[in-house]
Amino acid sequence: MRIFSGIQPTGAKHLGNYIGGFTQYVATQELGEGFFCIVDLHSITVEHDPAELRTATIDLAAMLFASGLDPARSTTFVQSHVHAHAEAAWLLGSVTSFGELRRMTQFKDKGDKQEFVSAGLFTYPVLMAGDILLYQTDLVPIGDDQRQHLELTRDIATRFNQRFGETFRIPDGRYPEIGARIMDLQEPENKMSTTGGTPLGTVFVADPPDVIRRKFKGAVTDSGHEVHRAADKPGVTNLVEIMAVATGTPPEAVEDRYDGQGYGQFKSDIAEAVIAFLEPVRLRYEELAADPGELERLLRAGAEKAAAVAAPTLEAMYDRMGFARP
Ligand code: AQP
């Protein structure tokens, strides 16, 4: 079984990324052959700082290894190191319609927040489709926010196969049972997000304990005492889910334990649970990030392995589309 997922090197990674991304990568690497990609080409679709992109790329490698990705077992690499990704995106653009891309909710949400809406932001899902399809992927561990992009990937692959002959495996998504969409602590109707989140509502993996305590203390709930998940209580629902994931207990058990007690104790217990959940990763991350030379070496080795696996798929794409190859 082939597993592929990508993660953007944009700034600090948050608790939503950790639950929707990292924990699933580590779990799925046990299921087969994993390819985990730092998708730097995606990060330039919104305004970015070149110096930051460079350091964030290496930093993210440290965080991926710190969370438990094993470089001996899973291929961890940087997207721009494997040229096939950019080429595949161009080819797949011809089997993706303008109408499909225009329907992507992430484009609408992010586009609304940008002063300059780049063409790259619009075509981003095509690049993502190529990322996944190049590796003949069976399973894509992602958070709920990427569900629509994965559906589009499946449509693009099916269309390519129909038009040019069987070339791609059709991938399935894998979403966390709990915590597939962690919400902002201050604005729980919005997902916790790097570009769209509030500063106090976004918990970073590398936040020190006192910062995590402060953020949970200020989390928006409602005026009641009921610790129950409900559509009209997104703040409480989110906290119950976070507590469930951080402690590895079912959300119903969290509700039973705290119902009727008020939110003060609940919030302070969640903060402690999240600190304990993230601390080993943060400490290991700090250790690994101190040796960028070693991280670069691991990423070079990863890119070599990834390039070898992606090359035959790209070649098949060119061939079936009728290109006269050199
Ligand atoms: N709030 C979330 N809850 C659960 N999973 C989430 N993911 C992102 N936000 C949440 C998952 O994290 C993985 C890596 O995401 P990414 O950093 O590559 O980019 P993203 O999905 O676009 O989300 P970000 O990081 O918050 O950036 P913004 O919102 O600024 O684009 C993915 O598997 C994602 O599903």
Side-chain angles (χ1 to χ4, degrees), residues 8 13-14 17 110 143 145-146 182 191-195:
Q8 290 194 62
K13 300 322 280 183
H14 54 72
N17 298 137
K110 280 198 188 175
D145 63 319
Q146 294 299 333
I182 298 296
K191 75 156 193 147
M192 195 175 280
S193 153
T194 314
T195 49

Side-chain angles (χ1 to χ4, degrees), residues 1-4 33-36 73-77 82-85 88 130-138 167-169 301-317:
M1 151 120 69
R2 278 272 170 78
I3 299 120
F4 178 96
E33 199 184 352
F35 290 83
F36 299 101
R73 165 169 213 156
S74 299
T75 306
T76 304
F77 66 104
V82 179
H83 296 188
H85 290 254
D131 298 341
I132 296 167
L133 298 175
L134 277 173
Y135 296 89
Q136 302 295 346
T137 301
D138 299 287
T167 307
F168 299 122
R169 213 173 281 176
E304 229 172 86
K305 270 163 64 189
V309 175
T313 306
L314 183 69
E315 207 40 52
M317 291 167 73

Side-chain angles (χ1 to χ4, degrees), residues 49-324:
D49 175 344
E52 257 175 44
L53 177 60
R54 207 163 288 131
T55 46
T57 300
I58 306 302
D59 256 28
L60 182 53
M63 198 161 271
L64 287 167
F65 295 130
S67 70
L69 277 192
D70 174 1
R73 165 169 213 156
S74 299
T75 306
T76 304
F77 66 104
V78 178
Q79 186 184 31
S80 66
H81 296 181
V82 179
H83 296 188
H85 290 254
E87 290 181 60
W90 182 254
L91 300 183
L92 292 176
S94 70
V95 290
T96 311
S97 76
F98 176 77
E100 282 174 316
L101 292 176
R102 203 172 39 182
R103 281 196 291 278
M104 295 294 114
T105 55
Q106 195 178 78
F107 171 71
K108 290 189 239 172
D109 291 349
K110 280 198 188 175
D112 283 349
K113 289 180 197 129
Q114 309 294 316
E115 219 169 274
F116 177 85
V117 181
S118 72
L121 188 64
F122 187 66
T123 54
Y124 168 124
V126 185
L127 179 60
M128 174 167 162
D131 298 341
I132 296 167
L133 298 175
L134 277 173
Y135 296 89
Q136 302 295 346
T137 301
D138 299 287
L139 198 65
V140 187
I142 38 178
D144 194 56
D145 63 319
Q146 294 299 333
R147 195 181 284 271
Q148 198 186 26
H149 290 162
L150 185 71
E151 283 307 314
L152 178 64
T153 300
R154 292 165 56 92
D155 291 345
I156 292 172
T158 306
R159 193 173 300 135
F160 190 103
N161 285 348
Q162 279 166 356
R163 235 181 243 184
F164 301 113
E166 209 54 31
T167 307
F168 299 122
R169 213 173 281 176
I170 311 295
D172 287 312
R174 175 182 143 138
Y175 306 90
E177 273 170 37
I178 311 156
R181 183 173 283 262
I182 298 296
M183 309 309 271
D184 188 283
L185 300 185
Q186 291 293 315
E187 291 175 354
E189 48 298 321
N190 299 325
K191 75 156 193 147
M192 195 175 280
S193 153
T194 314
T195 49
T198 65
L200 261 185
T202 312
V203 176
F204 295 108
V205 178
D207 269 346
D210 55 325
V211 173
I212 296 182
R213 284 188 193 105
R214 184 151 41 85
K215 288 179 177 173
F216 278 101
K217 198 166 179 200
V220 167
T221 46
D222 61 24
S223 53
H225 293 277
E226 285 176 23
V227 175
H228 269 301
R229 288 163 298 158
D232 62 342
K233 294 201 296 182
V236 175
T237 304
N238 190 37
L239 291 179
V240 169
E241 292 206 359
I242 292 173
M243 185 64 158
V245 175
T247 55
T249 40
E252 295 75 21
V254 175
E255 291 171 324
D256 289 349
R257 170 148 178 231
Y258 288 97
D259 196 30
Q261 290 184 27
Y263 296 130
Q265 186 64 43
F266 182 45
K267 285 187 198 174
S268 99
D269 287 359
I270 297 174
E272 296 314 315
V274 169
I275 290 165
F277 183 55
L278 296 179
E279 189 154 55
V281 183
R282 179 172 55 86
L283 296 176
R284 181 97 186 99
Y285 158 74
E286 283 166 8
E287 240 173 72
L288 295 174
D291 189 355
E294 172 62 4
L295 294 166
E296 282 163 11
R297 190 190 67 75
L298 290 171
L299 291 174
R300 264 198 305 277
E304 229 172 86
K305 270 163 64 189
V309 175
T313 306
L314 183 69
E315 207 40 52
M317 291 167 73
Y318 277 124
D319 183 52
R320 304 216 169 122
M321 291 180 93
F323 286 87

